[in-house]
Amino acid sequence: MRKPAAVLVALLALATLGPAAPAHAATDPIQPGDYVGSSIGGCTLNFVFVGGGRTYFGTAAHCVKRVGETVRTLANEPFGRVAMIGNPNVTAQDYAFIEVLPAYLYRVSARVLGNGTAPKGVTLASQTRAVDQVRFSGYGVGFDLLKVTREQRVGAIVSDNASEYALIGLDTWGDSGGPIVHTRTKGAYAVVSRLCIGACTSEGPTVQGMLAKATARGLHLTLRTA
């Protein structure tokens, strides 16, 4: 993922993927904002989706390598397998879906860490405007060290459409794939994706867009609300 915020440059120099974070208990809920590990490295889970009697988490396409790959929790539990990957080289297609394995379904919670009443639904482009506040929850390098910085970061929309967004906010490597909540609607807005440093903005796919693209590919999903 890409990012403006010059104040983060020192943090970004520490690593590119994979935070050092406190261990979770094996009975903890698995929910949006949690760490996810793959053969690529460490990223963040976004929202919970359901379809065809199965349950899925979203993340970014660049966070996983192949369909069928096993992904793990911070406690190294193999909780899911990659079911669909978009295109990591195209901003609006930087999404992936992970099917939760049956043994872990009872631990899935749709609530975004640090945002207990979210998501209320999918936030649509018709509901947003420039400078709307958004909220992040994830395992970004440096931010992963404290609960408050993992779960209580904010940003502001620069522009968006049904497929992708541009914003300024406190997200960084390791947050990739994580949930972006639209503060006013408490909705599932977007996925942390691309980072840049300097006079530019973070960019990535909206939830509205990635669901439409998954449907076009034959995976019909709906958001599970909190």
Side-chain angles (χ1 to χ4, degrees):
M1 37 130 254
R2 297 186 293 187
K3 157 113 277 45
V7 295
L8 297 178
V9 172
L11 287 174
L12 302 182
L14 295 176
T16 56
L17 278 173
H24 283 185
T27 55
D28 283 350
I30 304 171
Q31 61 195 114
D34 268 334
Y35 173 91
V36 59
S38 73
S39 60
I40 298 293
C43 285
T44 299
L45 296 171
N46 62 63
F47 305 98
V48 179
F49 304 92
V50 293
R54 299 180 180 184
T55 300
Y56 301 82
F57 276 101
T59 193
H62 72 263
C63 289
V64 294
K65 191 170 185 178
R66 64 185 181 278
V67 170
E69 176 183 8
T70 298
V71 297
R72 296 177 178 273
T73 66
L74 191 61
N76 202 35
E77 302 161 291
F79 75 95
R81 292 196 182 96
V82 178
M84 177 180 284
I85 303 175
N87 185 341
N89 299 312
V90 178
T91 299
Q93 298 179 40
D94 191 17
Y95 67 87
F97 292 100
I98 296 163
E99 182 183 349
V100 180
L101 298 178
Y104 293 89
L105 289 173
Y106 77 100
R107 287 177 49 194
V108 173
S109 169
R111 294 189 172 195
V112 179
L113 283 165
N115 297 266
T117 62
K120 294 293 190 184
V122 176
T123 297
L124 307 179
S126 60
Q127 297 175 290
T128 64
R129 55 180 180 261
V131 309
D132 275 2
Q133 186 188 83
V134 295
R135 302 179 66 88
F136 304 95
S137 183
Y139 276 79
V141 174
F143 293 126
D144 62 311
L145 300 176
L146 298 173
K147 179 180 173 67
V148 65
T149 52
R150 288 197 302 270
E151 301 177 7
Q152 300 295 326
R153 285 174 279 145
V154 299
I157 296 173
V158 173
S159 63
D160 65 15
N161 56 42
S163 295
E164 59 187 278
Y165 68 85
L167 59 80
I168 295 174
L170 295 175
D171 58 323
T172 185
W173 285 301
D175 283 316
S176 289
I180 303 176
V181 173
H182 184 249
T183 302
R184 176 165 46 81
T185 62
K186 299 185 187 297
Y189 172 60
V191 179
V192 176
S193 171
R194 302 188 182 280
L195 168 74
C196 69
I197 299 173
C200 52
T201 55
S202 292
E203 302 168 344
T206 64
V207 173
Q208 179 183 6
M210 75 181 201
L211 287 177
K213 290 174 177 62
T215 295
R217 296 176 63 185
L219 184 60
H220 300 270
L221 300 177
T222 58
L223 177 77
R224 180 186 287 182
T225 57

